[in-house]
Amino acid sequence: MFYVKTKINEETTITTEITEENVFTKCPECGKEFVIDLYDVFADGGDLCSTVIYCSDCSAKSIKTKK
Ligand SMILES: [Zn+2]
């Protein structure tokens, strides 16, 4: 199990278990927030800080643009 810890102040720290339902990212193209599956993202490698993921709409658009 992995979890994130956020220190709010000296007395309060929030600990949240990471699941496939509570990890979000924002599309760098349109800013849409969506759930990602970390297992899928890192199955082929990649790193947590520099990986960007486009939403399905923008992915579809960029595939069309490339053709
Ligand atoms: Zn998008």
Side-chain angles (χ1 to χ4, degrees):
M1 161 191 159
F2 291 93
Y3 57 92
V4 292
K5 279 170 88 168
T6 304
K7 193 170 184 179
I8 304 297
N9 56 39
E10 283 306 312
E11 296 87 42
T12 312
T13 301
I14 295 177
T15 303
T16 307
E17 184 180 349
I18 295 174
T19 70
E20 63 267 352
E21 289 162 5
N22 71 1
V23 180
F24 293 83
T25 192
K26 272 189 180 169
C27 175
E29 186 73 27
C30 68
K32 181 180 167 188
E33 183 185 73
F34 57 100
V35 172
I36 55 155
D37 185 334
L38 283 179
Y39 180 80
D40 277 352
V41 173
F42 297 110
D44 299 325
D47 81 78
L48 201 55
C49 294
S50 65
T51 301
V52 294
I53 301 161
Y54 290 85
C55 72
S56 51
D57 290 346
C58 293
S59 300
K61 271 184 220 156
S62 80
I63 288 167
K64 280 179 197 162
T65 310
K66 281 174 192 166
K67 276 181 185 171

